[in-house]
Amino acid sequence: MGRGVFYVCVAAVAWGTGGAAAAVLYDTSGLGPVAVSFWRFAGGVVLLGAGHLLFRRGTGRSTGDATGRTRWRRVVTTGVGLAVYQTAYFAAVGYAGLAVATVVTLGSGPVLIALGSRVTTGERLGRAGAVTVATALAGLVLLVGGGSPAAAPQPALGLACALLSAGGYAGVTLLNRRTSRAGDGGGPRATALGGFAVGMLCLLPPALLEGLLPTSGDAGQVLGLLAYLGMVPTAVAYSLFFAGLATVRATTASVVALIEPVTAAVVAVLLLGERLTVPAVAGSVVLLGAVVALALGERREARGTTGAGRGRRPAPTHSGGAGRS
């Protein structure tokens, strides 16, 4: 359990650094958000494919049996979900502004995942967990909404895109949590590889329309930033995130992943010269406190479950149970 939470934390930190790299690419390379996403996915496919060839084990190939078909459906669904929620998020930023897009997308994710976990896997959030999630979302609102609001050209359309992004994120998380628990996922690295390959194909047509090749900037810097995006916040981060879902509840993982905007804010201050407002600092503290509280709660429940399995009295069921994703 502790290792799973750690994996999700590292993934969230990596995602937070990816935002700064993408921002520099937008300003210097002439690439748009869809094109950057395509190259990010393409880099992830290359790196994950190389890793798969290097570390694969002789477990045999999947045939046309039911398990093989299930894994392919999971890979295709994951890839489409990745492409949808990332592209919809970028569209939400353009239509409604960064603050609204981030708060609605990342804020709706844990709520949708909590409801979906209850329906699909029977996992309960519990009263303490609900309070912690609400606290984390309050911290997110303070963090992202602490700056000056920007003019939004089409706020209603931006809100719809943000909700679509949150739905895609929730679907990918719930699907991979359920199949990881069942043990029929094929491994986190293989899932990430297949998902990014499908997502890359989905992003290719709109990327071609937007402009696939950089038109300005230093070629070495552009290639370095694209390589970083493909490696750290894509290949490494999603492999760790999917691996963490094998032991961490989906709702917990979605709240822990809120470390991403905190990391992005820190990177913006340290590397991009931006300044944080007092509400943003307070939101960061509240959000991190909620993440720590949720992680400690997961650890206590994991110990209680282990103790029950060894013959000690099980923990009370009203605390949320050990089945929450």
Side-chain angles (χ1 to χ4, degrees), residues 4-226:
V5 172
F6 175 73
Y7 285 168
V8 177
C9 284
V10 174
V13 170
W15 290 333
T17 65
V24 175
L25 281 170
Y26 299 152
D27 293 337
T28 61
S29 68
L31 291 172
V34 180
V36 169
S37 295
F38 169 81
W39 288 118
R40 174 183 176 180
F41 276 44
V45 168
V46 171
L47 293 169
L48 287 167
H52 180 71
L53 293 175
L54 185 62
F55 298 109
R56 66 180 179 179
R57 301 172 182 175
T59 55
R61 296 182 178 180
S62 296
T63 59
D65 59 8
T67 301
R69 290 193 298 270
T70 299
R71 290 178 179 176
W72 275 110
R73 284 196 296 268
R74 178 197 184 191
V75 165
V76 171
T77 305
T78 297
V80 173
L82 288 170
V84 166
Y85 87 70
Q86 294 206 21
T87 305
Y89 173 73
F90 287 135
V93 172
Y95 290 130
L98 178 61
V100 172
T102 303
V103 169
V104 174
T105 299
L106 296 182
S108 300
V111 177
L112 294 175
I113 290 170
L115 295 175
S117 296
R118 186 71 182 94
V119 173
T120 60
T121 61
E123 297 175 348
R124 299 181 179 180
L125 184 59
R127 183 178 300 176
V131 172
T132 306
V133 170
T135 303
L137 297 183
L140 175 66
V141 172
L142 287 172
L143 169 62
V144 180
S148 300
Q154 300 185 54
L157 182 57
L159 178 62
C161 290
L163 291 174
L164 175 62
S165 177
Y169 169 65
V172 169
T173 303
L174 289 169
L175 172 65
N176 284 276
R177 167 59 174 165
R178 186 180 63 183
T179 52
S180 295
R181 288 180 63 193
D184 60 355
R189 192 166 53 240
T191 299
L193 172 59
F196 283 122
V198 173
M200 180 185 68
L201 294 176
C202 293
L203 289 172
L204 180 57
L208 287 172
L209 293 175
E210 184 183 67
L212 194 59
L213 298 178
T215 58
S216 60
D218 178 75
Q221 182 189 46
V222 172
L223 289 176
L225 289 172
L226 288 175

Side-chain angles (χ1 to χ4, degrees), residues 223-252:
L223 289 176
L225 289 172
L226 288 175
Y228 178 83
L229 281 176
M231 178 182 295
V232 177
T234 305
V236 174
Y238 278 97
S239 295
L240 289 174
F241 183 69
F242 291 149
L245 288 175
T247 56
V248 178
R249 307 178 206 186
T251 307
T252 300

